């Protein structure tokens, strides 16, 4: 574990050394929600802070937009990482979260009221060693001890928990390739698979449910897709889900798109993509140095976190309402 953390720190250091970066106290970073500005095309989210040769995905903001948690994934492990706004409005250099770093943790998502942070983890449990849903609760400005969420009892691996205002949880079971809803009851949770209109595609997952439960954005594999995996949207109208619609370009690409998320204020759409901005063109007998330099940068085909305006969601929703 010690060596994995050292490797992670080294990755951040190497990235900063190999590309021109904005200083951490740059005016670009002195805003809530990491200084995002309106755009209809995806942009890297705060690359001076977040982008590295490792994989970054699965970002989630606090209600006030002054904390950002996400997953940093390296071959040895996955960590929940965070950055937060300081008193002078600059953002801290990313660090491993207080409750992460020992086991493989990923998929952080804040509850709608911001009081809890849900995540997936392979940390051991007495009756299960697969990935399960956990949460931590805010206590005295920090986080309490991770607690498991008692969802399924099948031992199947659970991923990507997204919550409604009512406390219902949408998540996916990888081995089944389907998205499920855990409806909160006095006794615990009642688990049901979503309608086949959602689960019809091959291997769906990464569900982001709006807190009002009026739309669902998720990842799907199979065909027709623009790339390895695409993002889809479905709207809940009069209690019925619409057929899943591919979000298309420029959100989806020939690469891999996963982990959709909409900020608590509804203004920003965040997702992860493995798209490469600038490919390396090589010729016979050319030194291999440019390739090595390329794959030490963040633009190396690994996942990075992107953002854009979320206006397209309401525009699409209006089409279905008509």
């Amino acid at each position: 574990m010690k060596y994995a953390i050292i490797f992670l720190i080294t990755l951040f250091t190497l990235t900063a050394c190999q590309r021109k970066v904005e200083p951490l106290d740059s005016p670009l970073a002195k805003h809530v929600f990491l200084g995002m500005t309106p755009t209809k095309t995806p942009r890297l989210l705060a690359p001076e802070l977040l982008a590295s040769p490792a994989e970054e995905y699965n970002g989630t903001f606090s209600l006030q937009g002054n904390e950002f948690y996400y997953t940093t994934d390296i071959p040895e492990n996955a960590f929940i990482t965070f950055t937060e706004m300081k008193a002078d409005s600059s953002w801290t250099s990313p660090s491993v979260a207080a409750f992460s770093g020992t086991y493989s943790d990923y998929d952080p998502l804040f509850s709608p009221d911001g009081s809890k942070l849900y995540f997936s983890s392979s940390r051991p449990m007495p009756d299960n060693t697969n990935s399960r849903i956990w949460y931590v609760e805010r206590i005295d400005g920090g986080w309490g001890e991770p607690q498991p969420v008692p969802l399924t009892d099948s031992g199947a691996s659970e991923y990507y928990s997204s919550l409604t205002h009512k406390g219902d949880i949408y998540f996916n079971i990888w081995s089944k390739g389907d998205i499920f809803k855990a409806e909160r009851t006095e006794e615990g949770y009642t688990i049901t698979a979503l309608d086949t209109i959602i689960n019809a595609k091959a291997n769906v997952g990464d569900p982001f449910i709006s807190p009002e439960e009026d739309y669902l954005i998720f990842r799907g594999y199979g065909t027709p897709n623009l790339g390895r995996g695409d993002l889809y949207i479905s709207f809940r109208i009069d209690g019925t889900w619409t057929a899943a619609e591919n979000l298309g370009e420029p959100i989806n690409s020939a690469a891999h798109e996963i982990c959709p998320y909409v900020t608590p204020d509804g203004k920003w759409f965040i997702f992860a993509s493995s798209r490469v901005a600038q490919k390396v063109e090589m010729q016979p007998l050319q030194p291999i140095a440019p390739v090595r330099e390329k794959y030490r940068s963040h633009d190396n085909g690994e996942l990075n976190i992107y953002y854009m305006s979320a206006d397209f969601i309401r525009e699409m929703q209006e089409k279905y309402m008509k």
Side-chain angles (χ1 to χ4, degrees):
M1 187 62 232
K2 175 178 70 177
Y3 299 107
I5 294 175
I6 293 171
F7 177 68
L8 180 62
I9 295 170
T10 303
L11 281 177
F12 283 123
T13 305
L14 281 173
T15 304
C17 293
Q18 291 176 29
R19 55 189 167 86
K20 184 178 179 181
V21 298
E22 296 289 343
L24 297 186
D25 60 353
S26 165
L28 294 176
K30 287 194 172 184
H31 299 280
V32 293
F33 292 106
L34 283 167
M36 290 185 287
T37 55
T39 173
K40 290 185 177 295
T41 57
R43 296 177 184 169
L44 278 171
L45 177 58
E48 70 277 5
L49 280 174
L50 307 180
S52 82
E55 286 195 318
E56 289 89 23
Y57 53 89
N58 226 167
T60 183
F61 277 101
S62 61
L63 281 177
Q64 298 78 17
N66 58 357
E67 297 171 272
F68 184 71
Y69 284 76
Y70 62 100
T71 303
T72 297
D73 202 335
I74 60 175
E76 292 88 353
N77 215 343
F79 309 90
I80 293 178
T81 318
F82 79 104
T83 175
E84 59 185 354
M85 182 179 279
K86 297 186 291 187
D88 65 356
S89 295
S90 64
W91 287 74
T92 61
S93 182
S95 301
V96 177
F99 54 86
S100 188
T102 300
Y103 305 104
S104 189
D105 303 320
Y106 32 87
D107 300 348
L109 284 122
F110 275 101
S111 60
D113 65 3
S115 65
K116 296 177 181 177
L117 185 71
Y118 286 75
F119 63 99
S120 309
S121 177
S122 61
R123 59 186 61 209
M125 295 177 63
D127 59 343
N128 183 71
T129 57
N130 292 329
S131 176
R132 301 302 293 266
I133 305 300
W134 296 69
Y135 73 89
V136 286
E137 192 166 7
R138 287 197 188 275
I139 297 177
D140 298 328
W143 295 108
E145 289 297 316
Q147 301 294 327
V149 181
L151 295 181
T152 65
D153 57 5
S154 64
S157 289
E158 307 160 352
Y159 296 89
Y160 212 92
S161 48
S162 181
L163 276 74
T164 68
H165 281 309
K166 294 188 298 183
D168 297 340
I169 302 175
Y170 283 67
F171 67 101
N172 67 279
I173 295 178
W174 190 271
S175 60
K176 297 181 182 296
D178 289 338
I179 296 173
F180 292 78
K181 177 181 177 179
E183 190 170 358
R184 194 168 186 174
T185 66
E186 292 183 358
E187 293 77 24
Y189 292 92
T190 300
I191 312 297
T192 56
L194 294 196
D195 193 285
T196 53
I197 204 166
I198 301 294
N199 286 328
K201 284 193 64 63
N203 203 344
V204 296
D206 295 0
F208 173 81
I209 185 67
S210 67
E212 295 79 16
E213 209 170 0
D214 59 344
Y215 67 84
L216 175 73
I217 306 177
F218 59 95
R219 175 265 306 149
Y221 296 132
T223 58
N225 270 11
L226 297 181
R228 176 182 168 190
D230 282 1
L231 297 178
Y232 294 79
I233 192 167
S234 177
F235 296 95
R236 193 166 180 261
I237 299 174
D238 296 330
T240 302
W241 289 106
T242 63
E245 183 175 352
N246 191 306
L247 290 179
E249 295 178 327
I251 295 174
N252 291 320
S253 71
H256 190 195
E257 278 73 45
I258 61 173
C259 302
Y261 168 77
V262 178
T263 54
D265 57 8
K267 292 182 178 180
W268 309 105
F269 177 61
I270 292 171
F271 66 101
S273 175
S274 62
R275 65 192 66 188
V276 175
Q278 187 174 2
K279 295 183 178 180
V280 176
E281 300 292 340
M282 297 298 292
Q283 300 297 326
L285 301 181
Q286 181 178 340
I288 202 68
V291 173
R292 292 179 175 177
E293 183 177 357
K294 175 70 171 177
Y295 287 93
R296 291 189 186 109
S297 75
H298 73 275
D299 191 31
N300 61 1
E302 301 289 357
L303 291 165
N304 289 294
I305 300 174
Y306 288 79
Y307 80 94
M308 61 183 290
S309 300
D311 299 340
F312 72 91
I313 298 174
R314 295 305 170 195
E315 293 169 2
M316 294 179 71
Q317 190 174 36
E318 289 174 4
K319 176 184 68 174
Y320 284 96
M321 297 300 291
K322 292 178 181 178

